Amino acid sequence: MTLNRLISRRQVLRTGAAFTAMSALSPARVAMAGPTEDPFVLRAAAGQAALRPAPYGPTNVWGYNGSVPGPEIRVRQGDRIRVLARNGLDEGTTVHWHGIRTPNAMDGVPFLTQDPIPVGGDLLYEFDAPDAGTFWYHPHQRSSEQVGRGLYGPLIVEEANPIRVDRDLTWMLDDWRMTGDGQIATDFGSRHDAAHGGRIGNSVTINGQIPERIAVRSGERIRLRLVNAANARIFGLDFGGLAPVVVALDGQPVAPHAPDGDVVLVGPAMRVDLVIDMTGKPGESVTVTDVFYRDLEYRLVDLAYEPDRLRDAVPDWSMALPPNPLAEPDMQAAKRHRIVFNGGMMGQMMMGGGMGSMLEQMREGNMWFINGEAATGHMMDPLLVLPQGTSHVLEMDNRTAWHHPMHLHGHSFRVIARNGQPTRHREWQDTVLMAPEERVEIAFVADNPGDWMFHCHILEHQAAGMMGVIRVDSGTTKT
Ligand code: C2O
Ligand code: CU
């Protein structure tokens, strides 16, 4: 097991039992400027953040506008987002708007859709938000270290008519590998991480803080937007006696349902919107536990009921979100493509099925392969070229011993089958978690022209070759 570095919340907090105020747990919000006003400035730079409660000192991080997470960008569906990204780091960077169906040129992928923003430089990102939902932003340049040091923030697109709740909360979950003195361990790019489950840390934060308790009120209905900003950690949250209802996945509405096995699964880069009725009594508390890694369960946070009650009965307000304008794939006409994933420790390839060319590439430091190829260079030949407007099914075959959250840029896709069984909700996602040895089928309309990344969002897997490009060809796309 690779999680030997995980220490429990109790150990992390051995001395400080600080009560975390609600206000401190919300990132600063920004409203978007109108088209004629100045854009919102988002500056990436080194700084410090109080990840650990008092009396511990701050941690050196890289953050946006001096905070981790960066400011919450919050707009209404259909609004134009205009952000001037400034690079205050000592190396090039970009901003990728994860899950937003932007025009290709605004996608923030270095050497594919833009050059990195140079040190001291800036770049205006400008695009509309076609879908309401929970999204996020992060660099796409040397992501393992840039995201791993704290560069990320929430991007919330509100529905024109949101569902009724008492509070709308965002929890950006992150996992840090901290040294004993509370600084970020500098072993980025470790081959061991790359060949196993990625850079798993030992300290989990919610909105940039190791939380102890969060106040709730009896009878309150909360919309909780979970965003997994960790490089590699998968969360499986158990809300104790509460009954969370999943209402959106990766920003896209889904038929409201209880999570499988009552555990809310959130792989890296994925988002889950929950509606939770706080059914406990004043003065009680309920523990949220992360149970994903067996024998390494830990208490994430306690939800503590305030002494007064908000209401007596569970409200009967609808939880169904209005659908976003996504093109429905034509399943009769859809073209099927097989995509096989190999690599990593303990996979079939290691166990004797190894093919010469992959073993050769492994000697060069590549660990993961999509259809036999590890992507390394800056320029990549497309894995697939799809004519714009056509429907496709990707039959993804995970022949590895590891989970992989596979992300496609510029599109949302329906997850239609797992191991040959149709999925119950045919959920729209932009990042789908494949379990070890699992086969997952996704379907989508290739309707957004350009060259789009398709990669594992365990950032160390991505860096070790687990990425490719899918080209949506408008007929005029230059090659
Ligand atoms: Cu969240 Cu290719 O990125
Ligand atoms: Cu992976």
Side-chain angles (χ1 to χ4, degrees):
M1 198 59 195
T2 57
L3 295 178
N4 53 344
R5 300 185 63 114
L6 184 76
I7 52 177
S8 79
R9 184 64 7 143
R10 299 262 176 220
Q11 283 170 278
V12 171
L13 291 169
R14 202 174 300 136
T15 58
F19 186 91
T20 308
M22 292 306 302
S23 58
L25 270 171
S26 315
R29 288 188 180 172
V30 298
M32 274 300 118
T36 56
E37 295 162 63
D38 289 341
F40 178 70
V41 175
L42 191 65
R43 183 169 184 271
Q48 291 194 318
L51 304 180
R52 301 176 303 161
Y56 295 106
T59 301
N60 297 322
V61 298
W62 296 354
Y64 287 113
N65 295 6
S67 69
V68 175
E72 175 174 288
I73 296 175
R74 199 172 184 104
V75 299
R76 297 283 294 274
Q77 185 171 17
D79 279 359
R80 193 141 186 93
I81 293 176
R82 295 173 71 236
V83 175
L84 183 67
R86 290 221 153 104
N87 185 2
L89 302 170
D90 292 334
E91 59 182 57
T93 193
T94 69
V95 186
H96 169 60
W97 314 93
H98 186 117
I100 305 263
R101 298 184 292 137
T102 65
N104 193 246
M106 295 289 115
D107 198 39
V109 179
F111 312 108
L112 188 69
T113 69
Q114 65 166 90
D115 288 331
I117 307 169
V119 174
D122 55 37
L123 180 70
L124 180 66
Y125 290 97
E126 185 168 9
F127 50 90
D128 296 331
D131 302 323
T134 305
F135 303 95
W136 65 300
Y137 58 89
H138 64 79
H140 220 282
Q141 164 81 348
R142 296 206 324 109
S143 319
S144 166
E145 180 161 0
Q146 292 197 4
V147 178
R149 287 188 182 275
L151 286 166
Y152 58 81
L155 200 175
I156 307 298
V157 183
E158 293 177 350
E159 299 84 17
N161 297 300
I163 51 171
R164 183 170 172 194
V165 294
D166 296 306
R167 263 197 299 166
D168 183 334
L169 295 180
T170 302
W171 283 5
M172 286 204 91
L173 304 168
D174 197 2
D175 170 41
W176 308 77
R177 185 177 291 174
M178 305 257 266
T179 58
D181 60 351
Q183 297 305 323
I184 297 170
T186 56
D187 57 343
F188 289 99
S190 126
R191 275 178 70 91
H192 183 275
D193 289 342
H196 294 79
R199 181 182 171 89
I200 303 280
N202 51 26
S203 304
V204 171
T205 54
I206 298 179
N207 298 339
Q209 295 183 353
I210 295 171
E212 183 74 350
R213 302 158 58 124
I214 291 176
V216 297
R217 290 175 75 191
S218 187
E220 186 178 30
R221 172 169 287 187
I222 292 177
R223 175 173 181 173
L224 181 60
R225 304 169 185 264
L226 300 171
V227 183
N228 183 349
N231 285 33
R233 178 180 292 276
I234 300 164
F235 292 88
L237 300 187
D238 178 335
F239 285 79
L242 296 172
V245 178
V246 178
V247 298
L249 293 165
D250 291 351
Q252 303 296 343
V254 64
H257 63 277
D260 278 349
D262 291 324
V263 170
V264 181
L265 200 60
V266 203
M270 293 169 58
R271 287 87 64 212
V272 180
D273 283 37
L274 301 173
V275 170
I276 311 180
D277 287 309
M278 296 298 154
T279 47
K281 295 192 187 65
E284 289 182 353
S285 75
V286 57
T287 297
V288 183
T289 311
D290 178 2
V291 299
F292 184 77
Y293 299 97
R294 193 182 316 172
D295 299 330
L296 292 166
E297 297 85 358
Y298 63 96
R299 179 174 69 89
L300 176 65
V301 68
D302 283 348
L303 304 178
Y305 288 88
E306 307 247 56
D308 65 317
R309 185 181 275 283
L310 183 65
R311 71 172 61 78
D312 290 318
V314 170
D316 61 356
W317 313 330
S318 168
M319 295 182 189
L321 290 163
N324 282 318
L326 293 165
E328 192 60 52
D330 177 343
M331 296 309 295
Q332 303 308 313
K335 186 159 182 217
R336 301 183 79 89
H337 310 267
R338 218 170 128 60
I339 302 193
V340 177
F341 300 88
N342 270 301
M345 294 306 287
M346 299 175 288
Q348 291 179 11
M349 195 182 72
M350 299 295 296
M351 304 320 239
M355 290 139 253
S357 100
M358 283 191 273
L359 292 174
E360 192 60 42
Q361 293 178 73
M362 283 188 91
R363 277 192 275 280
E364 286 150 27
N366 299 309
M367 305 285 183
W368 303 96
F369 305 91
I370 302 181
N371 289 349
E373 292 294 328
T376 42
H378 291 154
M379 302 310 292
M380 281 168 279
D381 287 337
L383 189 68
L384 295 172
V385 177
L386 312 176
Q388 186 182 355
T390 53
S391 293
H392 300 271
V393 172
L394 307 189
E395 303 174 354
M396 306 197 295
D397 187 355
N398 179 11
R399 295 200 191 152
T400 81
W402 300 89
H403 283 85
H404 303 286
M406 293 303 304
H407 173 44
L408 175 62
H409 285 211
H411 297 78
S412 288
F413 46 76
R414 279 194 188 277
V415 181
I416 57 171
R418 289 184 181 270
N419 290 329
Q421 296 303 309
T423 55
R424 198 153 39 113
H425 301 290
R426 303 183 86 240
E427 57 274 20
W428 289 103
Q429 304 239 241
D430 56 55
T431 307
V432 63
L433 191 61
M434 300 190 296
E437 306 286 338
E438 192 177 31
R439 285 175 295 117
V440 178
E441 290 179 31
I442 64 173
F444 65 103
V445 181
D447 55 0
N448 199 355
D451 281 357
W452 301 103
M453 292 292 300
F454 174 63
H455 66 89
C456 180
H457 222 288
I458 289 180
L459 300 174
E460 294 70 33
H461 290 181
Q462 179 189 0
M466 201 161 184
M467 59 181 164
V469 169
I470 293 183
R471 174 170 297 163
V472 176
D473 190 353
S474 64
T476 58
T477 313
K478 37 186 185 322
T479 44

